[in-house]
Structures are given as structure tokens and as C-alpha cells.
Amino acid sequence: ELSGRLESTVKNLSGQGKIRESNISEALREVKRALLEADVHFRVVREFVAQVKEKALGEEVLSSVTPAQQFVKIVHDELVVLMGGAHRDIRFENNQQTRIVMAGLQGSGKTTQTAKLALHFRKNGGHRPLMVACDVHRPAAIDQLETLGKSLGIDVYSERGSSAEDIAEHAMEYARKKDYSLLIFDTAGRLHIDESMMQELRNVHAIANPHEVFFVADAMTGQDAVNVAQEFHEAVTCTGFILSKMDGDARGGAALSINNVTGVPLCYLGVGEKPDALEPFYPDRMASRILGMGDVVSLVEKAESVVDLEESKKLEKKLRRNQFTLQDFLDQLRKVQKMGSITDLLGMLPGVGGKLKGIDVDPKAIKHVEAIILSMTPAEREKPKILNASRRRRIARGSGRTVQEVNRLMRQFEDMKKMMKQMNRMSRKKGGVSGAM
Ligand code: GDP
Ligand code: MG
């Protein structure tokens, strides 16, 4: 955890009035290394470290926090600045149609994020979105958008055999007649930048006269994304960018770099293939995440969104009385599955993240867990503590799983119990009713 490493590398400053270079040089190296590891461009890193150093040096050491914490805070605040300061949302004008043009290379995630944005703004703000299929170069591209539209109940404007420009123009007319409040133009991308693609994009841009141009970057492409972003920005002046595939093991450093190099703010993160896997980007939360301080706010919010309040109150009571059973565990696992990637969520949680990384929530794994739990007697499910070695062997045989799997399940059960207690505490602090999953 970076914040921990930083704290331990900041030399003891007590009794000194100011932070000095010798106190923080090791910590600065640590910051530098962490950012480079996260795939942040080296020039951005160099500038950033210089900035932090300048801020830190000569800073009066406060008495209320440790100097090390103070240093971590400086790094945190500078990270927030580096990532654009505040969250930047789309500006919707009252009663006016808003138009968005998507831009980016092929495979970056434009079509997927088009659907995500449409869904997001239908849910948040009650917009009436129309998705416009302007990618006429890949035969399957129009089908892909239509299929997404159909499954989400979002209208798609498409034509076969027309140019992207004609489609854009006709979509504008259609939307005026039918009173759509939000138009999102999905466009074509190539594997590499080429001039005819850029020209087509400029043409669609001119016709749509958009309020927003979102450049979609694949987080997995790392530094390359920065150069590509810059070229698109020169062609159509992007107003924001979306980093897709942040659910993979992308290190996300490109996010910091694109913003820094182009000045275009990161607005949304794509965190999965499903249409609801879109998150507004909050620089302060991301800074906390990079520092490993735990993205408590978005964790709790996310948890709350899938929680049935009544049920979670019951659960909280059970946890307090230590009556949380394996049956509850199974129910929770099924819910966690709905939330998406648990490792992502847990990674945000300070302290418990690492321990729980092993929990698998793919449907097959849950079936296995189910088989194990259903092989237990009701008494065992209520009080897993009574499971000794021979009963574990019997359960393994009964469920067709291995003893190791049974043992792992028991460990995960205990870990989840701990984690849920912690989440309950957090959400109580936050003032919510309950954040249990
Ligand atoms: P386009 O060529 O730019 O329109 O890209 P697509 O929207 O067709 O996406 C390319 C691939 O990336 C598809 O298989 C998508 O399912 C996948 N994809 C898009 N966004 C995300 C994301 O946020 N996370 C993950 N894991 N996959 C994504
Ligand atoms: Mg596409």
C-alpha cells in the first residue's frame, strides 16, 4: 500500500519546524516508482514529483497529524490536481437537445460506451436518448449497436448502405421530429489513425455540431493511448475522455497522462462489458485508490445500490449477534455477483482487500460453493465452527469437491464476515442505514 510505504519512508520530523528534503527524499522516490509502475508517462511523473517536493519543502509541520500523514496528504492533493481536480459532468441545457460524438480507435470501446452513456443518462436525468450508428465500415458495427439498443430499449437510428455523413444528417432530422433529448453518435475507428477516418469524423462532427466529443481510450493500451488521444484532439477538439476496460488489470496510469498531456478531462470509466458498467470519474477517489487509502465512498455507494435495505438491516443485526450463517454467506455471494467484479470492490477497501482477493464469483464457482453448502446439515450451516476434519471430508465427498475447496470456503466465510462488519461500521459512520452487501 503506497500510503503506508510513504508514511514509513518519511523520516521522523518531530521537533522540526519544517519538512526538509532529507526527510522526504526516499518517499519521493517511492512516489516516483509507484507512478511509473502504474504506467504514468515519465515526463508527467518527473513534473509531478517536482511539484510535490516544492509543496512539501518548507511546509510547516502541523501538530495535529504526523508529518508522514501530512506528506501523504500533499501527494493526495497533488494527484487530484493532476487528474483534473473535480469530476466533470456533461452540461445539459434545459429543454435542449444534447449531442455527443464518440471518437477513438477500433476496439477501444466506443460502441459499448455509447450504450452505457445512453443508459446512464436515461436513468440519471430521465433523458430520451437516440443512438446513431455512424460506423458504416464494419458490417457488424450497425448490428452491434442495434442489438444493444434492442436489449436496453433504447432507440437506434441506422441505415444500410448510406455514408456516415448521410446517416448523421438524417438522424438529426429524425431526432428533431421525434423529440429525442440526447443524441449519441457512434463512429468508426480504424486500428491505426488514418486520414480518411479522421476526415469522416470531422464531417460527422460538423453535421452533429456536438456539445461533447468523447474520446474513448482502452486502458490496456497504456502510453500509446496518450499519442492517439492527442491526434484525435487535434482533429475534433475532444471535450472529455472515457477510459474503458478499467476492470482488467490495466494500471490506469494512462488516465493521468492523457489528462496531463492534452488537458482533456477524464469523465467516465468503463469497468466491464455490461451496459451498466460505467462510472463517473472522481479525481479525489482515484487519488485515494492509487494511494491505497481505500475508495470508501464509492465502495459504500456501490454496495448500497444493490442492497435491499430491509434485508440488510436484518443482516446487520445478525452480524452484531454473530449469527451470520453459511446460508447468509451464499445469499451474499449471489448478490456480490450482481455487483460485478468483487476483486475490484475489495481492492478499494483498506485492510481487507488483499485477504479476500481469492473469492471467485463467476457463476460456476458459485455453483461449487452452493454444492458444498447444500451438503451440510442445517446445524452445520448455522454453526460452521462445528465442522471438524472428518465432517469436512464427508462434505467434500458429498458435494463432489475437494477438502481444500471446503477449507477455502470456510476461510472465505470468515473473511466475508469480517469484511461485512467493517462495511457496516463504515456506512454507519457515513450516516447511511446500512452498507452491508
Ligand atoms: P469500438 O470498436 O470502439 O466500438 O469498441 P466496442 O465497443 O465494440 O468494444 C470492443 C470490445 O471491448 C468489446 O468486446 C467490448 O465488449 C469490450 N469492452 C468495451 N468496454 C469495455 C469495458 O469497460 N470493460 C471490458 N472488460 N470490456 C469492454
Ligand atoms: Mg464500434
Side-chain angles (χ1 to χ4, degrees), residues 119-137:
L119 183 67
H120 179 77
F121 288 112
R122 188 178 65 186
K123 267 195 209 155
N124 306 284
H127 290 273
R128 257 194 89 216
L130 177 69
M131 305 193 287
V132 186
C134 288
D135 180 358
V136 295
H137 296 284

PDB file of all heavy atoms in Angstrom, residues 119-137:
ATOM      1  N   LEU A 119     -27.774   4.648 -21.523  1.00  0.00           N
ATOM      2  CA  LEU A 119     -28.457   4.050 -20.380  1.00  0.00           C
ATOM      3  C   LEU A 119     -28.282   4.918 -19.130  1.00  0.00           C
ATOM      4  O   LEU A 119     -29.227   5.181 -18.387  1.00  0.00           O
ATOM      5  CB  LEU A 119     -27.886   2.653 -20.134  1.00  0.00           C
ATOM      6  CG  LEU A 119     -28.522   1.831 -19.022  1.00  0.00           C
ATOM      7  CD1 LEU A 119     -29.949   1.469 -19.398  1.00  0.00           C
ATOM      8  CD2 LEU A 119     -27.711   0.560 -18.765  1.00  0.00           C
ATOM      9  N   HIS A 120     -27.053   5.386 -18.925  1.00  0.00           N
ATOM     10  CA  HIS A 120     -26.735   6.202 -17.750  1.00  0.00           C
ATOM     11  C   HIS A 120     -27.608   7.455 -17.695  1.00  0.00           C
ATOM     12  O   HIS A 120     -28.151   7.791 -16.644  1.00  0.00           O
ATOM     13  CB  HIS A 120     -25.246   6.588 -17.799  1.00  0.00           C
ATOM     14  CG  HIS A 120     -24.797   7.440 -16.664  1.00  0.00           C
ATOM     15  ND1 HIS A 120     -24.558   6.923 -15.407  1.00  0.00           N
ATOM     16  CD2 HIS A 120     -24.553   8.760 -16.587  1.00  0.00           C
ATOM     17  CE1 HIS A 120     -24.171   7.914 -14.608  1.00  0.00           C
ATOM     18  NE2 HIS A 120     -24.162   9.028 -15.304  1.00  0.00           N
ATOM     19  N   PHE A 121     -27.749   8.124 -18.843  1.00  0.00           N
ATOM     20  CA  PHE A 121     -28.493   9.377 -18.808  1.00  0.00           C
ATOM     21  C   PHE A 121     -30.000   9.187 -18.936  1.00  0.00           C
ATOM     22  O   PHE A 121     -30.753  10.104 -18.676  1.00  0.00           O
ATOM     23  CB  PHE A 121     -27.958  10.344 -19.864  1.00  0.00           C
ATOM     24  CG  PHE A 121     -26.619  10.867 -19.475  1.00  0.00           C
ATOM     25  CD1 PHE A 121     -25.483  10.521 -20.185  1.00  0.00           C
ATOM     26  CD2 PHE A 121     -26.490  11.673 -18.355  1.00  0.00           C
ATOM     27  CE1 PHE A 121     -24.247  10.971 -19.797  1.00  0.00           C
ATOM     28  CE2 PHE A 121     -25.253  12.136 -17.949  1.00  0.00           C
ATOM     29  CZ  PHE A 121     -24.128  11.785 -18.669  1.00  0.00           C
ATOM     30  N   ARG A 122     -30.418   7.997 -19.328  1.00  0.00           N
ATOM     31  CA  ARG A 122     -31.837   7.727 -19.226  1.00  0.00           C
ATOM     32  C   ARG A 122     -32.207   7.531 -17.758  1.00  0.00           C
ATOM     33  O   ARG A 122     -33.206   8.042 -17.267  1.00  0.00           O
ATOM     34  CB  ARG A 122     -32.216   6.485 -20.028  1.00  0.00           C
ATOM     35  CG  ARG A 122     -33.731   6.299 -20.091  1.00  0.00           C
ATOM     36  CD  ARG A 122     -34.133   5.111 -20.903  1.00  0.00           C
ATOM     37  NE  ARG A 122     -33.677   3.876 -20.284  1.00  0.00           N
ATOM     38  CZ  ARG A 122     -33.799   2.678 -20.859  1.00  0.00           C
ATOM     39  NH1 ARG A 122     -34.335   2.574 -22.055  1.00  0.00           N
ATOM     40  NH2 ARG A 122     -33.362   1.600 -20.252  1.00  0.00           N
ATOM     41  N   LYS A 123     -31.315   6.811 -17.046  1.00  0.00           N
ATOM     42  CA  LYS A 123     -31.548   6.570 -15.613  1.00  0.00           C
ATOM     43  C   LYS A 123     -31.361   7.835 -14.804  1.00  0.00           C
ATOM     44  O   LYS A 123     -32.139   8.151 -13.921  1.00  0.00           O
ATOM     45  CB  LYS A 123     -30.528   5.539 -15.099  1.00  0.00           C
ATOM     46  CG  LYS A 123     -30.998   4.110 -15.134  1.00  0.00           C
ATOM     47  CD  LYS A 123     -30.058   3.262 -14.272  1.00  0.00           C
ATOM     48  CE  LYS A 123     -29.974   1.839 -14.768  1.00  0.00           C
ATOM     49  NZ  LYS A 123     -28.714   1.190 -14.367  1.00  0.00           N
ATOM     50  N   ASN A 124     -30.257   8.547 -15.074  1.00  0.00           N
ATOM     51  CA  ASN A 124     -29.919   9.736 -14.298  1.00  0.00           C
ATOM     52  C   ASN A 124     -30.263  10.972 -15.109  1.00  0.00           C
ATOM     53  O   ASN A 124     -29.489  11.418 -15.945  1.00  0.00           O
ATOM     54  CB  ASN A 124     -28.435   9.751 -13.944  1.00  0.00           C
ATOM     55  CG  ASN A 124     -28.005   8.487 -13.239  1.00  0.00           C
ATOM     56  OD1 ASN A 124     -28.277   8.301 -12.065  1.00  0.00           O
ATOM     57  ND2 ASN A 124     -27.377   7.589 -13.977  1.00  0.00           N
ATOM     58  N   GLY A 125     -31.409  11.521 -14.856  1.00  0.00           N
ATOM     59  CA  GLY A 125     -31.786  12.732 -15.564  1.00  0.00           C
ATOM     60  C   GLY A 125     -32.956  12.517 -16.515  1.00  0.00           C
ATOM     61  O   GLY A 125     -33.465  13.463 -17.101  1.00  0.00           O
ATOM     62  N   GLY A 126     -33.340  11.262 -16.664  1.00  0.00           N
ATOM     63  CA  GLY A 126     -34.538  10.978 -17.457  1.00  0.00           C
ATOM     64  C   GLY A 126     -34.482  11.429 -18.897  1.00  0.00           C
ATOM     65  O   GLY A 126     -35.471  11.894 -19.456  1.00  0.00           O
ATOM     66  N   HIS A 127     -33.321  11.303 -19.517  1.00  0.00           N
ATOM     67  CA  HIS A 127     -33.217  11.720 -20.910  1.00  0.00           C
ATOM     68  C   HIS A 127     -33.820  10.696 -21.857  1.00  0.00           C
ATOM     69  O   HIS A 127     -33.958   9.529 -21.523  1.00  0.00           O
ATOM     70  CB  HIS A 127     -31.757  11.976 -21.275  1.00  0.00           C
ATOM     71  CG  HIS A 127     -31.226  13.195 -20.611  1.00  0.00           C
ATOM     72  ND1 HIS A 127     -31.366  14.440 -21.161  1.00  0.00           N
ATOM     73  CD2 HIS A 127     -30.612  13.365 -19.420  1.00  0.00           C
ATOM     74  CE1 HIS A 127     -30.838  15.334 -20.339  1.00  0.00           C
ATOM     75  NE2 HIS A 127     -30.373  14.704 -19.268  1.00  0.00           N
ATOM     76  N   ARG A 128     -34.167  11.175 -23.035  1.00  0.00           N
ATOM     77  CA  ARG A 128     -34.654  10.278 -24.091  1.00  0.00           C
ATOM     78  C   ARG A 128     -33.553  10.161 -25.121  1.00  0.00           C
ATOM     79  O   ARG A 128     -33.436  10.998 -26.006  1.00  0.00           O
ATOM     80  CB  ARG A 128     -35.905  10.873 -24.741  1.00  0.00           C
ATOM     81  CG  ARG A 128     -37.190  10.224 -24.293  1.00  0.00           C
ATOM     82  CD  ARG A 128     -38.329  10.605 -25.221  1.00  0.00           C
ATOM     83  NE  ARG A 128     -38.465   9.688 -26.339  1.00  0.00           N
ATOM     84  CZ  ARG A 128     -38.825  10.051 -27.568  1.00  0.00           C
ATOM     85  NH1 ARG A 128     -39.030  11.303 -27.859  1.00  0.00           N
ATOM     86  NH2 ARG A 128     -38.956   9.151 -28.515  1.00  0.00           N
ATOM     87  N   PRO A 129     -32.744   9.112 -25.012  1.00  0.00           N
ATOM     88  CA  PRO A 129     -31.582   9.026 -25.893  1.00  0.00           C
ATOM     89  C   PRO A 129     -31.878   8.345 -27.228  1.00  0.00           C
ATOM     90  O   PRO A 129     -32.736   7.468 -27.321  1.00  0.00           O
ATOM     91  CB  PRO A 129     -30.595   8.181 -25.085  1.00  0.00           C
ATOM     92  CG  PRO A 129     -31.440   7.362 -24.170  1.00  0.00           C
ATOM     93  CD  PRO A 129     -32.754   8.078 -23.983  1.00  0.00           C
ATOM     94  N   LEU A 130     -31.151   8.785 -28.233  1.00  0.00           N
ATOM     95  CA  LEU A 130     -31.145   8.110 -29.534  1.00  0.00           C
ATOM     96  C   LEU A 130     -29.687   7.829 -29.894  1.00  0.00           C
ATOM     97  O   LEU A 130     -28.855   8.736 -29.857  1.00  0.00           O
ATOM     98  CB  LEU A 130     -31.768   9.005 -30.610  1.00  0.00           C
ATOM     99  CG  LEU A 130     -31.752   8.434 -32.033  1.00  0.00           C
ATOM    100  CD1 LEU A 130     -32.693   7.230 -32.169  1.00  0.00           C
ATOM    101  CD2 LEU A 130     -32.136   9.510 -33.064  1.00  0.00           C
ATOM    102  N   MET A 131     -29.401   6.581 -30.198  1.00  0.00           N
ATOM    103  CA  MET A 131     -28.030   6.239 -30.584  1.00  0.00           C
ATOM    104  C   MET A 131     -27.964   6.188 -32.100  1.00  0.00           C
ATOM    105  O   MET A 131     -28.835   5.614 -32.758  1.00  0.00           O
ATOM    106  CB  MET A 131     -27.640   4.886 -29.988  1.00  0.00           C
ATOM    107  CG  MET A 131     -27.817   4.844 -28.457  1.00  0.00           C
ATOM    108  SD  MET A 131     -27.033   3.433 -27.656  1.00  0.00           S
ATOM    109  CE  MET A 131     -28.098   2.084 -28.140  1.00  0.00           C
ATOM    110  N   VAL A 132     -26.950   6.808 -32.653  1.00  0.00           N
ATOM    111  CA  VAL A 132     -26.843   6.927 -34.103  1.00  0.00           C
ATOM    112  C   VAL A 132     -25.680   6.075 -34.604  1.00  0.00           C
ATOM    113  O   VAL A 132     -24.535   6.260 -34.187  1.00  0.00           O
ATOM    114  CB  VAL A 132     -26.635   8.395 -34.519  1.00  0.00           C
ATOM    115  CG1 VAL A 132     -26.673   8.512 -36.034  1.00  0.00           C
ATOM    116  CG2 VAL A 132     -27.696   9.279 -33.878  1.00  0.00           C
ATOM    117  N   ALA A 133     -25.985   5.145 -35.499  1.00  0.00           N
ATOM    118  CA  ALA A 133     -24.972   4.191 -35.956  1.00  0.00           C
ATOM    119  C   ALA A 133     -24.206   4.735 -37.158  1.00  0.00           C
ATOM    120  O   ALA A 133     -24.567   4.509 -38.307  1.00  0.00           O
ATOM    121  CB  ALA A 133     -25.639   2.862 -36.305  1.00  0.00           C
ATOM    122  N   CYS A 134     -23.136   5.465 -36.888  1.00  0.00           N
ATOM    123  CA  CYS A 134     -22.351   6.065 -37.972  1.00  0.00           C
ATOM    124  C   CYS A 134     -21.122   5.243 -38.352  1.00  0.00           C
ATOM    125  O   CYS A 134     -20.305   5.696 -39.145  1.00  0.00           O
ATOM    126  CB  CYS A 134     -21.910   7.479 -37.598  1.00  0.00           C
ATOM    127  SG  CYS A 134     -23.254   8.667 -37.610  1.00  0.00           S
ATOM    128  N   ASP A 135     -20.957   4.089 -37.753  1.00  0.00           N
ATOM    129  CA  ASP A 135     -19.840   3.245 -38.176  1.00  0.00           C
ATOM    130  C   ASP A 135     -20.306   2.368 -39.327  1.00  0.00           C
ATOM    131  O   ASP A 135     -20.917   1.321 -39.137  1.00  0.00           O
ATOM    132  CB  ASP A 135     -19.343   2.373 -37.017  1.00  0.00           C
ATOM    133  CG  ASP A 135     -18.170   1.492 -37.434  1.00  0.00           C
ATOM    134  OD1 ASP A 135     -17.790   1.539 -38.622  1.00  0.00           O
ATOM    135  OD2 ASP A 135     -17.639   0.775 -36.580  1.00  0.00           O
ATOM    136  N   VAL A 136     -20.034   2.835 -40.548  1.00  0.00           N
ATOM    137  CA  VAL A 136     -20.525   2.103 -41.728  1.00  0.00           C
ATOM    138  C   VAL A 136     -19.440   1.215 -42.329  1.00  0.00           C
ATOM    139  O   VAL A 136     -19.646   0.570 -43.338  1.00  0.00           O
ATOM    140  CB  VAL A 136     -21.024   3.077 -42.817  1.00  0.00           C
ATOM    141  CG1 VAL A 136     -22.229   3.840 -42.312  1.00  0.00           C
ATOM    142  CG2 VAL A 136     -19.924   4.033 -43.238  1.00  0.00           C
ATOM    143  N   HIS A 137     -18.283   1.170 -41.678  1.00  0.00           N
ATOM    144  CA  HIS A 137     -17.175   0.458 -42.311  1.00  0.00           C
ATOM    145  C   HIS A 137     -17.068  -0.998 -41.905  1.00  0.00           C
ATOM    146  O   HIS A 137     -16.602  -1.820 -42.673  1.00  0.00           O
ATOM    147  CB  HIS A 137     -15.855   1.188 -42.034  1.00  0.00           C
ATOM    148  CG  HIS A 137     -15.858   2.542 -42.649  1.00  0.00           C
ATOM    149  ND1 HIS A 137     -15.675   2.729 -43.999  1.00  0.00           N
ATOM    150  CD2 HIS A 137     -16.076   3.763 -42.121  1.00  0.00           C
ATOM    151  CE1 HIS A 137     -15.758   4.023 -44.267  1.00  0.00           C
ATOM    152  NE2 HIS A 137     -16.003   4.675 -43.134  1.00  0.00           N
TER     153      HIS A 137
END
